């Protein structure tokens, strides 16, 4: 028997805002094959708040991606032992047989609701503004676990919107899933939910926290008009743990693994272990924060413990950006989601800050500028990306003016970045973007300056979020990046300079989140069947763990949490640190820009108040 015959493999699946990606990894965390397929997002021309997707489409793209990575890797499916999922925090709606139920009437002009493919309200969908306002006016204790303000991007406001708009009989037939939990349900047939999705997005407070007994808060649901969920023992949300439902921490085995039908679909073995899922940002945390650095100044920092990881903020940056940090104690930060107990590790707490629009904002600034067609043409003619063209232009402008840094170019141009509302730390969806210093200039030069000012604005808001977290008790001293923004070296240096702390770039810009999910799949496999353990780690399960009820799930979660951290340490590839420039004048300039950033907030709110006073 060769060494290859004893190796096992794992698949991670990441469903982002616009794509489904699968990766097959070995036990050292090496990605042997990747495949990505675009998913469809539906918009409504008459209402810019609407963003919808389809679980049928999402699952079809997952199936394509998984079958392709198996084929490309040439790995025997019998040696693939675990599968992990992550996804955006979007609301998936089905009936109790798992058939999709449309989240709006099937035609914009129709009043007919029912079975329909557009059954996902994407996280970015802002239709539930009134419902979020109603919830925030309750003063319920659930608000203490979402930074005191519930976002309209969370699931309960969206469910309340559906209650108000759907026919009552149809609403009663609905099951509601945070998308990561829908994927494990689709794969295994099990209705077990993840602690991550429930505490982060569904107003669930784990039993034992702040007097919570059921996890769900009946008084809160009655108060906001969702009393029917209470009467049915929260069956539509997965049930009450220990009574008619089960809640699992990250990576715990779900059900009996892949059903025979799904295994045949995906080309895998029936019973292949499936780990309890995570929201994509938290999978990014799993896939980054244990990473060593190839250029670390202090080698000791390359070997963090589970507790010392509290100093590392994971930033998962793409269409939007999420900032996740774990701590031993629950820390309430106004306007920052959480604290969430058991969101990843049992007994530990997570906070999540975020920017609703980062990559989306950068694209918007470029696409709406008069010089955008010129930029695209030049990029095509010179075989460069539009971003490379912009950065080359910025370098040219800096050199021509003899400036020490590109931040001097934007000394008179300021962008405030909340074009899609503020997620953190203001938790104000009514905030809007601002640009000052505009000229009658349609040139590529003006676009380059405006683009760089946008990068600065996003970096300044990152500083705002980190500062608020640290002011309330966190001890963040480094940012661990993943996602598409990592490819932009200028942007990464700018974040390091603005925040005054090192930024770690991952081994692969695209791999961190999907690698985090693969780690969950491996964890599930080794907890379920220790014979699949083939690495010489410091800890491994000794006997198979069978989760039969909520009590055994909770016991197992604590028994095996050290193993999950051990897998993170062993399977996360080294990254590279970007250190802030040691330039006092640049630091002083960025400090002033941060003051201006904060004044933009105060000014916008004052203006709105002045107008409201007149109109009211």
């Amino acid at each position: 028997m060769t060494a290859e015959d004893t190796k096992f493999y794992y698949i991670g699946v990441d469903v982002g805002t616009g794509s489904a990606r699968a990766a097959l990894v070995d036990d050292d965390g090496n990605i042997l094959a990747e495949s990505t397929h675009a998913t469809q997002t539906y918009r409504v021309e008459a209402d810019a708040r609407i963003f919808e997707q389809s679980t049928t489409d999402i699952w079809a793209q997952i199936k394509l991606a998984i079958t392709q990575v198996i084929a490309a890797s040439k790995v025997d499916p019998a040696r693939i032992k675990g599968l992990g999922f992550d996804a955006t925090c979007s609301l998936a709606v089905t009936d109790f047989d798992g058939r999709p139920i449309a989240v709006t009437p099937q035609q914009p002009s129709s009043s007919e609701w029912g079975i329909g493919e557009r059954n996902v309200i994407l996280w970015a969908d802002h239709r539930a503004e009134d419902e979020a306002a109603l919830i925030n006016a309750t003063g319920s204790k659930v608000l203490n676990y979402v930074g005191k303000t519930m976002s309209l991007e969370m699931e309960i406001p969206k469910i309340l919107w559906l209650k108000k708009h759907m026919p009552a009989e149809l609403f009663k037939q609905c099951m509601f899933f945070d998308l990561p939990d829908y994927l494990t349900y689709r794969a295994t047939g099990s209705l077990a939910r993840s602690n991550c999705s429930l505490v982060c997005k569904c107003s669930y407070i784990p039993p034992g926290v702040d007097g919570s007994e059921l996890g769900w808060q009946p008084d809160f649901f009655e108060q906001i008009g969702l009393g029917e969920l209470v009467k049915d023992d929260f069956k539509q949300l997965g049930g009450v743990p220990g009574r008619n439902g089960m809640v699992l921490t990250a990576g715990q085995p779900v059900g009996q693994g892949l059903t025979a039908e799904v295994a045949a679909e995906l080309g895998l073995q029936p019973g292949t272990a499936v780990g309890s899922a995570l929201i994509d940002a938290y999978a990014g945390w799993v896939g980054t924060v244990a990473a060593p650095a190839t250029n670390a100044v202090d080698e000791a920092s390359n070997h963090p413990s589970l507790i010392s990881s509290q100093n590392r903020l994971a930033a998962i940056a793409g269409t939007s950006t999420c900032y996740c940090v774990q701590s031993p104690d629950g820390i309430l930060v106004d306007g920052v989601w959480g604290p969430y107990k058991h969101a990843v590790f049992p007994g530990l707490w997570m906070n999540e800050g975020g920017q609703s629009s980062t990559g989306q904002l950068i694209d918007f600034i470029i696409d709406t500028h008069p010089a955008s067609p010129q930029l695209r043409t030049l990029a095509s003619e010179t075989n460069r990306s539009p971003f490379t063209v912009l950065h080359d232009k910025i370098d040219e402008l800096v050199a021509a003016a003899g400036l020490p840094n590109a931040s001097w170019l934007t000394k008179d141009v300021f962008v405030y970045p909340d074009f899609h509302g503020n997620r953190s730390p203001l938790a104000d969806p009514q905030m809007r973007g601002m640009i000052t210093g505009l000229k009658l200039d349609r040139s590529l030069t003006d676009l380059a300056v405006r683009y760089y000012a946008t990068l600065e604005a996003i970096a300044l808001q990152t500083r705002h979020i980190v500062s608020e977290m640290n002011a309330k008790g966190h001890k963040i001293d480094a940012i661990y990046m993943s996602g598409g923004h990592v490819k932009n070296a200028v942007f990464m240096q700018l974040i390091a300079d603005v925040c005054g702390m090192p930024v770690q770039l991952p081994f692969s810009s695209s791999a961190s989140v999907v690698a985090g999910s693969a780690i969950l799949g491996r964890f599930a496999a080794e907890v379920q069947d220790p014979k699949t353990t083939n690495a010489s780690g410091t800890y491994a399960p000794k006997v198979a763990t069978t989760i039969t009820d909520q009590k055994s799930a909770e016991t197992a979660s604590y028994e095996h949490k050290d193993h999950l951290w051990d897998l993170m340490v062993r399977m996360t590839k080294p990254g590279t640190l970007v250190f802030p420039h040691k330039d006092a004048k640049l630091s002083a300039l960025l400090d002033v820009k941060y003051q201006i950033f904060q004044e933009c907030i105060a000014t916008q709110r004052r203006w709105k108040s002045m107008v409201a006073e007149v109109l009211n």
Side-chain angles (χ1 to χ4, degrees):
M1 181 179 291
T2 67
E4 191 61 31
D5 293 328
T6 64
K7 286 183 72 71
F8 298 123
Y9 303 88
Y10 312 91
I11 292 176
V13 174
D14 165 43
V15 177
T17 298
S19 65
R21 172 186 290 122
L24 188 141
V25 308
D26 64 16
D27 56 4
D28 293 319
N30 298 304
I31 293 180
L32 306 185
E34 279 187 273
S35 177
T36 303
H37 291 272
T39 53
Q40 179 77 37
T41 297
Y42 304 93
R43 305 296 307 277
V44 176
E45 189 171 332
D47 190 344
R49 302 173 305 165
I50 302 297
F51 292 75
E52 296 174 354
Q53 292 187 333
S54 160
T55 55
T56 302
D57 172 57
I58 289 168
W59 189 258
Q61 307 318 315
I62 289 172
K63 176 184 172 181
L64 274 174
I66 289 177
T67 54
Q68 286 177 355
V69 298
I70 295 171
S73 68
K74 297 182 171 56
V75 166
D76 179 355
R79 306 213 68 78
I80 299 173
K81 295 298 183 181
L83 181 64
F85 292 96
D86 73 76
T88 64
C89 48
S90 302
L91 181 69
V93 185
T94 73
D95 66 14
F96 281 92
D97 293 320
R99 294 179 299 176
I101 293 181
V103 293
T104 45
Q106 296 188 46
Q107 297 294 332
S109 59
S110 168
S111 60
E112 295 183 10
W113 291 73
I115 298 297
E117 294 303 319
R118 290 168 59 168
N119 68 320
V120 176
I121 304 180
L122 190 67
W123 64 268
D125 188 296
H126 280 192
R127 71 182 71 181
E129 185 173 340
D130 291 343
E131 290 71 24
L134 183 153
I135 289 169
N136 287 319
T138 64
S140 170
K141 71 179 179 183
V142 303
L143 301 177
N144 292 331
Y145 300 93
V146 289
K148 291 188 179 178
T149 305
M150 185 166 293
S151 171
L152 76 176
E153 295 178 1
M154 293 181 174
E155 310 306 7
I156 301 306
K158 291 174 179 175
I159 292 171
L160 184 56
W161 186 94
L162 291 172
K163 160 75 184 300
K164 290 181 177 180
H165 291 83
M166 258 186 183
E169 284 305 311
L170 180 62
F171 184 82
K172 292 177 183 176
Q173 298 170 31
C174 292
M175 286 199 295
F176 302 107
F177 298 87
D178 196 40
L179 185 55
D181 287 346
Y182 170 80
L183 297 179
T184 58
Y185 163 68
R186 180 71 176 77
T188 68
S190 169
L191 288 167
R193 305 301 175 97
S194 65
N195 259 293
C196 185
S197 281
L198 295 194
V199 300
C200 295
K201 305 301 172 187
C202 299
S203 302
Y204 179 91
I205 303 175
V209 174
D210 200 8
S212 176
E213 296 178 0
L214 301 179
W216 303 112
Q217 308 304 306
D219 292 349
F220 166 70
F221 283 89
E222 295 277 8
Q223 187 178 9
I224 65 173
L226 288 174
E228 58 267 66
L229 301 185
V230 180
K231 293 182 179 66
D232 204 21
D233 266 352
F234 296 92
K235 181 181 177 183
Q236 291 175 269
L237 290 170
V240 176
R243 184 185 297 174
N244 63 334
M246 184 178 292
V247 180
L248 304 172
T249 50
Q252 287 193 283
V254 179
Q256 302 304 308
L258 290 181
T259 64
E261 178 186 0
V262 170
E265 246 189 296
L266 302 180
L268 293 168
Q269 299 291 302
T272 299
V274 174
S276 182
L278 288 173
I279 296 165
D280 52 357
Y282 293 84
W285 182 89
V286 169
T288 56
V289 297
T294 56
N295 59 337
V297 175
D298 176 12
E299 189 56 32
S301 67
N302 269 344
H303 306 284
S305 66
L306 177 57
I307 300 303
S308 68
S309 68
Q310 67 183 299
N311 303 120
R312 299 179 171 191
L313 179 73
I316 300 85
T319 304
S320 64
T321 300
C322 297
Y323 300 93
C324 297
V325 63
Q326 184 170 259
S327 63
D329 305 305
I331 299 173
L332 174 61
V333 183
D334 292 356
V336 172
W337 296 342
Y340 299 133
K341 194 171 188 180
H342 313 315
V344 180
F345 280 88
L348 298 177
W349 302 75
M350 297 287 291
N351 282 96
E352 179 188 352
Q355 293 163 291
S356 290
S357 184
T358 52
Q360 185 181 48
L361 174 61
I362 294 167
D363 290 342
F364 178 83
I365 292 294
I366 293 172
D367 293 343
T368 57
H369 194 279
S372 183
Q374 179 188 352
L375 171 66
R376 307 290 178 189
T377 299
L378 183 58
S380 176
E381 290 175 348
T382 58
N383 196 28
R384 291 178 290 169
S385 78
F387 294 103
T388 301
V389 173
L390 287 172
H391 285 291
D392 287 348
K393 172 59 75 172
I394 290 166
D395 290 343
E396 175 189 316
L397 294 170
V398 169
L403 300 175
N405 183 281
S407 287
W408 271 254
L409 283 176
T410 56
K411 64 183 179 64
D412 297 319
V413 180
F414 304 102
V415 174
Y416 181 76
D418 285 334
F419 285 54
H420 197 54
N422 182 277
R423 187 186 297 172
S424 300
L426 307 178
D428 184 353
Q430 294 299 319
M431 292 298 292
R432 291 295 177 260
M434 302 166 66
I435 306 178
T436 67
L438 297 182
K439 299 182 291 184
L440 290 174
D441 189 343
R442 296 170 172 266
S443 70
L444 186 60
T445 293
D446 185 74
L447 172 53
V449 171
R450 203 180 301 186
Y451 160 75
Y452 193 81
T454 303
L455 299 187
E456 283 187 325
I458 295 170
L460 290 165
Q461 191 165 69
T462 301
R463 175 172 170 174
H464 193 198
I465 292 167
V466 173
S467 296
E468 291 298 311
M469 286 182 165
N470 281 344
K472 291 299 176 69
H474 284 291
K475 301 172 183 176
I476 298 163
D477 58 21
I479 300 173
Y480 281 60
M481 298 291 303
S482 62
H485 294 337
V486 168
K487 301 173 188 175
N488 191 331
V490 172
F491 192 18
M492 296 300 98
Q493 183 64 61
L494 187 55
I495 291 175
D497 289 335
V498 168
C499 294
M501 60 180 62
V503 170
Q504 174 140 315
L505 310 184
F507 179 78
S508 166
S509 64
S510 64
S512 299
V513 177
V514 74
S517 285
I519 291 170
L520 300 181
R522 178 175 180 179
F523 179 70
E526 295 187 349
V527 167
Q528 186 171 287
D529 181 5
K531 293 193 296 295
T532 63
T533 302
N534 64 346
S536 56
T538 57
Y539 170 86
K542 298 296 187 290
V543 296
T545 298
T546 302
I547 295 175
T548 56
D549 53 26
Q550 190 63 37
K551 184 176 181 181
S552 62
E554 291 171 7
T555 300
S557 71
Y558 282 92
E559 284 180 351
H560 299 303
K561 74 174 185 178
D562 290 336
H563 186 47
L564 178 57
W565 179 254
D566 187 47
L567 292 179
M568 288 169 60
V569 169
R570 286 189 278 144
M571 294 180 69
T572 308
K573 293 298 183 183
T576 305
L577 287 166
V578 175
F579 295 97
H581 284 122
K582 294 180 179 179
D583 183 331
K585 196 162 186 178
L586 174 61
S587 295
L589 176 60
L590 294 175
D591 285 346
V592 167
K593 291 191 176 192
Y594 184 57
Q595 292 175 31
I596 294 169
F597 172 88
Q598 292 179 308
E599 286 183 17
C600 285
I601 297 170
T603 298
Q604 182 175 156
R605 286 179 159 175
R606 187 175 71 253
W607 288 348
K608 286 187 174 184
S609 177
M610 291 164 64
V611 172
E613 187 175 344
V614 172
L615 295 180
N616 293 335

